[in-house]
Amino acid sequence: AQSVAQPEDQVNVAEGNPLTVKCTYSVSGNPYLFWYVQYPNRGLQFLLKYITGDNLVKGSYGFEAEFNKSQTSFHLKKPSALVSDSALYFCAVRGPLGGYQKVTFGTGTKLQVIP
Amino acid sequence: GAGVSQSPRYKVAKRGQDVALRCDPISGHVSLFWYQQALGQGPEFLTYFQNEAQLDKSGLPSDRFFAERPEGSVSTLKIQRTQQEDSAVYLCASSLGQGGSEQYFGPGTRLTVT
């Protein structure tokens, strides 16, 4: 069975500082990996995904994530945090390749950017 | 363009009532997913459609839950004889295909069972 772990319930970072939101996964074979963001009273929005190729993927709003196969991680990063980045972030995994694969979400990490 | 829409946005039901939640996916999206999200938690998979075919319903918590997508577009999630533990936000998502296709989520329906 596949699984996703987001070890931090909440991450606090000062505005302008770099941020990292951690995600590790477990799946047989090569995965598809996703990050979604949820603002209060809003649906989840897609940020970025890793399918294959370059381990560093760039997405919306200046976010990027690094796929590390040996550490089975897909941490979300941003060089300079904005107050408007404060939201709930979900990592998701889908795999292995081929056929139908269920998407499994992590429990979410609340990001609080402090002015 | 239009995104995924869900109705109603809020639903209050008395225990034992039946409810029907509607999802309008993005036009042309083959895949449609239903999730249940408890407060402060990640979405939990309920069921998956590819066009009109329900390929996976392993996440439906009981036989009181039923989903359909008869023409491969609009989908309805029905909950019969609602219980208090059914209170949650129900999310619908659609995607263009499988695999690496990202999902587009609706705003959700918040169901409260009293």
Side-chain angles (χ1 to χ4, degrees):
Chain A
Q2 61 193 36
S3 64
V4 175
Q6 293 183 243
E8 302 153 319
D9 290 337
Q10 181 158 336
V11 170
N12 296 321
V13 63
E15 186 177 23
N17 282 3
L19 69 87
T20 299
V21 182
K22 296 179 180 177
C23 171
T24 58
Y25 65 91
S26 174
V27 68
S28 58
N30 296 316
Y32 295 122
L33 294 159
F34 304 83
W35 275 101
Y36 290 85
V37 60
Q38 188 173 35
Y39 298 100
N41 299 315
R42 301 274 298 276
L44 279 79
Q45 297 178 31
F46 168 74
L47 271 182
L48 50 78
K49 65 181 178 183
Y50 172 81
I51 299 177
T52 187
D54 194 350
N55 289 342
L56 184 66
V57 293
K58 296 184 183 296
S60 307
Y61 313 120
F63 283 93
E64 56 189 29
E66 186 167 12
F67 170 64
N68 187 317
K69 188 173 183 178
S70 63
Q71 297 185 3
T72 62
S73 67
F74 189 56
H75 301 330
L76 181 70
K77 300 181 180 184
K78 186 173 183 181
S80 178
L82 300 173
V83 172
S84 57
D85 293 331
S86 298
L88 193 54
Y89 290 81
F90 292 97
C91 181
V93 65
R94 189 177 198 180
L97 301 181
Y100 159 67
Q101 316 96 15
K102 185 182 301 183
V103 179
T104 301
F105 284 82
T107 53
T109 299
K110 183 178 180 180
L111 174 65
Q112 190 74 36
V113 181
I114 303 162
Chain B
V4 178
S5 61
Q6 293 185 246
S7 60
R9 290 292 312 277
Y10 303 91
K11 177 69 178 178
V12 179
K14 291 186 177 180
R15 187 161 57 95
Q17 283 185 331
D18 298 348
V19 298
L21 312 180
R22 178 188 168 102
C23 172
D24 281 86
I26 294 173
S27 177
H29 277 196
V30 169
S31 299
L32 187 144
F33 301 79
W34 282 99
Y35 295 90
Q36 183 188 61
Q37 187 178 24
L39 189 63
Q41 298 296 312
E44 293 284 343
F45 171 82
L46 293 177
T47 187
Y48 164 71
F49 289 87
Q50 182 176 321
N51 296 308
E52 69 278 5
Q54 189 175 20
L55 299 187
D56 189 345
K57 53 183 180 180
S58 62
L60 297 176
S62 77
D63 58 7
R64 296 186 295 103
F65 286 72
F66 171 78
E68 60 183 4
R69 194 187 185 197
E71 296 178 357
S73 55
V74 172
S75 178
T76 303
L77 176 67
K78 297 179 180 178
I79 309 174
Q80 296 176 326
R81 304 180 303 281
T82 52
Q83 303 294 317
Q84 282 194 316
E85 60 264 27
D86 299 335
S87 296
V89 175
Y90 290 85
L91 299 172
C92 175
S94 69
S95 67
L96 194 57
Q98 298 182 37
S101 296
E102 61 270 22
Q103 296 177 52
Y104 294 83
F105 283 82
T109 294
R110 182 178 297 278
L111 173 65
T112 303
V113 182
T114 61

